Structures are given as structure tokens and as C-alpha cells.
Amino acid sequence: MKNLSFINKIIYIANSIVAMLLLLSMVFPYLPPKTFSFLSVINLGVSFLILINALFCIYWLIRRKKQFLTSLIVLIIAYISFGSLYKFAASKNVASEQNFKVMNYNVRLFNLYKWIPGNEVEKDLEAFIKGEAPDVLSIQEYQPNENIDLSYFKYKFEKLSGQKFKHGQAIFSKFPIINTGSVEFPKTANNAIFVDVVKEKDTIRIYNIHLESLRIDTKIESLRKEDSERLLERVGSAFKRQQNQAELFLEHKKKCPYKMIVCGDFNNTAFSYVYRKIKGDLNDSFKEAGNGFGRTHDFQFLPIRIDFILADEAFSVNGFKSYNEHFSDHYPISATLSLE
């Protein structure tokens, strides 16, 4: 610090604060939001903290200053703790006769309120799903829509709420569904549903989870107008609800006798407490076979991954795809799995 100019001292102080926040973020996935909801908010910004620390590291390297070590060391620890933010490897693509495709998609009510301009969004979304031809389709923010024809799936289970306006979650399947059910989340329209499907000689449990929304308008101009104290209070409250919902799901999951696949919109990142608890010993299909940032939500300037397909260790993850089709505020994802 002594050999730094005044401006560089200010920059290094900012660097140290950002490095400390990233360091703290590695602890919060192990701390229940019910106790540390305010601090858990930091984990929403892990992607941002990683990118900023990388920029600070580059800044000091260009100036040949040893201060680059501050961010470098924290980034190494973050890599060990979280893994890589960006997957440089090519997407895994293994052919197998046993392969089947699972897609997860928060469709935002099929653009009911025209958030995305244009009259062809419904048709484009339907054509996209038909073109990808998943064997199982897990949908959040589902609404029965006469303009969306998904009848080429032979089987479906939907769980809807609301009096005049019905909406909820659905699972569509090309495999026979022999059992269905839900994990009721109290005082919310969010829920977890499941189906048991039969593929050849195997029975597979497929969950579709939709955890509590943070109710954040992700457009930068909207965030600037938000009262920061109210925003943090609202997000902290949502985190507590997410923890309760995750605990209810895990209690239900314990009783499942089958190999399972967990799909869903967690409304939280892979750096969060609820992701760590729900994932448990399941494999994250993006980490196993994806590439790039794996972005699943339309958040300006930041690659946010809040939608997941997790698979039992009995499954081989033979492929994963993140799509760029913009028919919702979420982007669809799919995983190619097999039971060998």
C-alpha cells in the first residue's frame, strides 16, 4: 500500500472489499437463510463478484503490482468451492440407445400478458418444444392455453391453483405415468409436483420444483428505482420461505423408492443454501455435460443460472444444452440422460 498512488490506494480498498464479499459468499451456502437471510443476499451476486475480482486481478497485473494476489487467491478459493463460473469444455454428447431427453422450462404463462412483444410467441414456443422433442417436459408458471398444443406427449400431470385464473406446474411425458402427487408449500402458489414414469423395466421419479420467487424486476433501470432496504427485506423473506420449501421437499424425497430426476426453477443460484441442500448427492447436469455460463434467466449483464436438472447418480449425463430462445424471462434447458 505504501508504494501505491492515492488513486490506487482507493482502488485497492475497493478491491479488498469485493474480495472479502466473495470470500464470505463461500460460507453462506452452509448457513440457513432463516438465521442469516440478510447476508444470504450476497450469494445472488456471486457471478458479479467473480467477474469484478477477475477485473481487479487483471488491473494489478497490467501495472505489475503484487496487489493482484488479493483477488487471485480469493478466485482460486472460489474455484475450489464453487467450481468454474464458465465451463470452457465442449458440451458432452454421448450417443446411446438408452438416451432420453428431459427439458425444464419456466414459460411465464406462455407470454399471456405480452411481456415479449409480438403475436407469434406462443406459436414459436410450441414449435421450439416440438422441434427439440424432449421425452419429458417440466414446466413452471404453466397455464392451460388453447393456442399451445402439447398433445403429442401421451401423458401429463398438472397442478393448478387460483379461482378464475388457473396456473401452476405441469409435467408432460412420452413415457407412461403410473403415479402423481405434489408437495404442498404453505401460503404460496409455488409448489413441487412429481410423476413416476415407466421406461422399459425402470420406474423413474421426476420432480418439478418451483421455489418462492424473489419478485425482482431484473431490468437495471427498475432496480435503480427500488428502495434498497425494502428490496433486501423482500429478498430475505423469500430466502426464508425457500428454505422451508426445500425442507418440505427433502422430507418427501427421503421416502422415494425410485431413481430420480429433479427439475425446476429454484429462484436462486448454484451458490445458494437451497441449491446445495436440494442437490445433495445428485449430479447437476450442467456441470456434468454443459458449457459456457449456462444462463437460464434474462438478467441484464449477468449470467444467472437459477433453473436446474439434477439427476440421480444411477443416470449417465450424456448431454446438456442451454438455449437462447427468448420466449419467456427464463431460457429452457435440457439434459440427455441414460440408465445403462
Side-chain angles (χ1 to χ4, degrees):
M1 283 282 282
K2 290 181 180 179
N3 298 324
L4 297 178
S5 66
F6 176 76
I7 294 297
N8 276 337
K9 284 179 181 178
I10 298 298
I11 292 173
Y12 185 63
I13 290 171
N15 185 172
S16 300
I17 292 171
V18 172
M20 182 58 68
L21 288 174
L22 181 55
L23 201 59
L24 285 171
S25 73
M26 298 172 217
V27 178
F28 295 140
Y30 299 89
L31 303 178
K34 289 178 184 177
T35 309
F36 301 95
S37 61
F38 178 78
L39 294 174
S40 296
V41 175
I42 293 173
N43 282 77
L44 285 177
V46 168
S47 299
F48 175 76
L49 293 173
I50 289 173
L51 293 172
I52 294 299
N53 271 285
L55 290 174
F56 274 126
C57 190
I58 293 169
Y59 176 84
W60 296 118
L61 280 170
I62 290 172
R63 279 154 181 74
R64 298 181 182 180
K65 299 291 185 181
K66 64 181 180 181
Q67 278 72 19
F68 81 92
L69 290 170
T70 301
S71 283
L72 179 62
I73 291 170
V74 173
L75 286 169
I76 291 171
I77 297 171
Y79 178 80
I80 294 170
S81 178
F82 293 138
S84 176
L85 176 63
Y86 184 95
K87 286 201 66 184
F88 290 93
S91 291
K92 187 176 177 182
N93 188 10
V94 178
S96 169
E97 291 183 357
Q98 299 301 315
N99 276 352
F100 64 98
K101 184 191 287 188
V102 178
M103 178 178 285
N104 188 78
Y105 200 175
N106 181 321
V107 297
R108 204 186 193 189
L109 305 176
F110 296 115
N111 200 41
L112 177 66
Y113 295 109
K114 306 299 180 185
W115 293 286
I116 299 171
N119 297 319
E120 302 297 317
V121 173
E122 292 172 330
K123 292 181 180 179
D124 291 341
L125 193 155
E126 179 190 327
F128 162 74
I129 293 173
K130 286 182 176 178
E132 289 300 315
D135 297 288
V136 175
L137 174 63
S138 167
I139 294 181
Q140 300 83 45
E141 295 193 34
Y142 168 78
Q143 183 223 2
N145 187 320
E146 61 183 15
N147 297 320
I148 303 287
D149 179 16
L150 298 177
S151 61
Y152 48 90
F153 289 101
K154 290 184 179 179
Y155 310 93
K156 77 170 180 177
F157 172 61
E158 59 185 38
K159 176 74 173 179
L160 307 176
S161 62
Q163 297 295 324
K164 295 181 180 179
F165 175 67
K166 297 291 186 181
H167 63 285
Q169 290 155 262
I171 300 174
F172 295 81
S173 173
K174 293 181 180 178
F175 307 125
I177 295 175
I178 60 170
N179 184 36
T180 65
S182 66
V183 184
E184 300 295 331
F185 295 160
K187 299 178 181 179
T188 181
N190 296 73
N191 203 354
I193 65 173
F194 69 88
V195 298
D196 295 334
V197 304
V198 176
K199 183 183 183 296
E200 296 175 358
K201 296 181 180 180
D202 296 297
T203 301
I204 302 169
R205 168 70 56 85
I206 300 168
Y207 282 103
N208 173 351
I209 303 176
H210 191 196
L211 296 184
E212 191 72 19
S213 172
L214 304 183
R215 296 182 178 85
I216 297 176
D217 187 335
T218 56
K219 294 179 181 177
I220 298 300
E221 56 270 23
S222 299
L223 288 174
R224 285 173 180 165
K225 295 175 184 177
E226 280 263 22
D227 180 279
S228 57
E229 188 174 338
R230 286 186 180 180
L231 178 63
L232 291 174
E233 183 179 342
R234 188 170 71 247
V235 172
S237 176
F239 279 170
K240 291 177 184 178
R241 282 197 170 193
Q242 287 181 356
Q243 181 184 342
N244 285 330
Q245 293 163 359
E247 288 168 354
L248 289 170
F249 165 72
L250 290 171
E251 281 300 313
H252 192 279
K253 173 177 172 284
K254 281 181 186 177
K255 301 169 186 175
C256 175
Y258 306 121
K259 304 174 183 70
M260 70 178 65
I261 301 165
V262 178
C263 307
D265 170 10
F266 292 8
N267 273 307
N268 217 320
T269 69
F271 313 114
S272 66
Y273 176 88
V274 291
Y275 167 83
R276 186 182 69 84
K277 296 297 285 186
I278 291 173
K279 178 181 177 299
D281 57 3
L282 301 174
N283 288 322
D284 186 327
S285 55
F286 167 74
K287 291 184 177 179
E288 294 294 314
N291 69 355
F293 287 111
R295 175 183 68 161
T296 70
H297 193 268
D298 186 19
F299 193 100
Q300 285 182 311
F301 308 120
L302 281 179
I304 298 294
R305 189 167 75 96
I306 63 174
D307 303 85
F308 305 94
I309 300 174
L310 311 175
D312 193 292
E313 291 180 340
F315 293 93
S316 296
V317 182
N318 293 332
F320 181 88
K321 190 169 182 180
S322 304
Y323 300 88
N324 292 319
E325 277 70 12
H326 191 209
F327 307 132
S328 166
D329 58 340
H330 288 248
Y331 296 98
I333 56 175
S334 69
T336 301
L337 307 173
S338 68
L339 272 172
E340 302 293 348

